[in-house]
Amino acid sequence: MTVIRLLLVDDDPLVRAGLSFMMGGADDIEIVGEAADGSEVAALVDRTRPDVVLMDIRMPNVDGLTATERLRARKDAPQVVVLTTFHADDQVLRALRAGAAGFVLKDTPPTEILAAVRRVAAGDPVLSPTVTRQLMAHAAGSALDTRRSGARTRIATLNDREREVAVAVGQGRANAEIATQLFMSVATVKTHVSRILAKLDLNNRVQIALLTYDAGLLEEDGH
């Protein structure tokens, strides 16, 4: 059994204690450290080498957004799941753009938080198509025009097939669904996704989805 090394970051000691109690009881999860502020994250990551960081967004000194940006810019950075109290929040969007693999609400049932950590550790984003649409709708009014030209320039580096896969990812489709839709194998879809991430210098599928939205590709496709 593979054990997931987990770092908890939250300024509320009661929240940290609750998360530690809840997550530490799972056989496949090891709590390797706790931090009360984003300023502590880098040193703890160096010392404990977590697979996943469960990161609160709002903290008094260095917030979770800044800590996520700094962390995901590092080589071999752990995956980050942000903790928040809102579904569609500007800071959540910024954290996802910075490379967070998803988010969970603080009032999410314990089993779902555990499932989210396991999914992220396995390389899967923690965003359902419904939540993705909510976030993109929230982003619609937030300086979209200033991002569109830049997003389209980046998308233009993809070939036609990669662009089709990117749009399908933006629609929230899983690899098997994309394979069926575009008449290719799941392995080929995975290869295309990897190439898209490399070409566009992105961390995960969530960032692909946000970029396709910014570029207007989902609107063109009727979504």
Side-chain angles (χ1 to χ4, degrees):
M1 177 180 63
T2 301
V3 175
I4 302 166
R5 297 172 62 81
L6 179 66
L7 175 64
L8 303 176
V9 184
D10 197 295
D11 65 322
D12 188 333
L14 292 178
V15 171
R16 291 200 312 275
L19 288 170
S20 182
F21 176 78
M22 174 183 68
M23 310 294 279
D27 293 337
D28 60 339
I29 293 180
E30 177 187 359
I31 308 297
V32 296
E34 298 181 16
D37 190 77
S39 60
E40 304 170 17
V41 171
L44 269 175
V45 166
D46 287 339
R47 188 164 71 248
T48 63
R49 301 294 179 184
D51 301 304
V52 179
V53 178
L54 199 54
M55 180 94 72
D56 185 24
I57 286 185
R58 293 173 174 84
M59 292 180 284
N61 297 312
V62 176
D63 61 30
L65 171 62
T66 302
T68 297
E69 290 173 336
R70 292 174 180 173
L71 195 56
R72 292 301 300 169
R74 296 166 49 150
K75 184 179 180 181
D76 299 325
Q79 296 293 339
V80 176
V81 178
V82 295
L83 285 166
T84 182
T85 54
F86 300 100
H87 277 285
D89 180 274
D90 287 329
Q91 288 184 309
V92 173
L93 280 166
R94 289 175 62 194
L96 295 174
R97 293 186 191 282
F103 73 92
V104 292
L105 300 177
K106 287 194 173 183
D107 59 358
T108 298
T111 55
E112 293 184 22
I113 296 180
L114 283 167
V117 169
R118 288 170 178 141
R119 285 187 59 188
V120 166
D124 296 322
V126 185
L127 280 181
S128 68
T130 299
V131 172
T132 301
R133 285 193 293 271
Q134 289 175 344
L135 285 168
M136 289 180 177
H138 182 70
S142 57
L144 180 59
D145 288 343
T146 62
R147 296 196 307 269
R148 178 146 297 182
S149 60
R152 290 194 168 187
T153 297
R154 296 177 71 187
I155 290 291
T157 63
L158 304 180
N159 62 38
D160 291 343
R161 205 56 163 162
E162 289 165 346
R163 178 186 168 111
E164 290 176 333
V165 171
V167 170
V169 170
Q171 294 166 356
R173 300 184 188 278
N175 286 340
E177 295 175 303
I178 297 173
T180 299
Q181 176 186 351
L182 299 180
F183 305 102
M184 61 177 68
S185 69
V186 172
T188 301
V189 173
K190 291 179 179 179
T191 298
H192 281 307
V193 170
S194 295
R195 287 176 179 168
I196 292 166
L197 292 171
K199 279 189 176 183
L200 301 180
D201 193 25
L202 301 176
N203 287 296
N204 53 46
R205 296 167 72 98
V206 175
Q207 289 186 322
I208 295 176
L210 290 170
L211 190 66
T212 58
Y213 176 81
D214 287 347
L217 299 186
L218 303 187
E219 297 170 13
E220 296 170 4
D221 199 57
H223 287 74

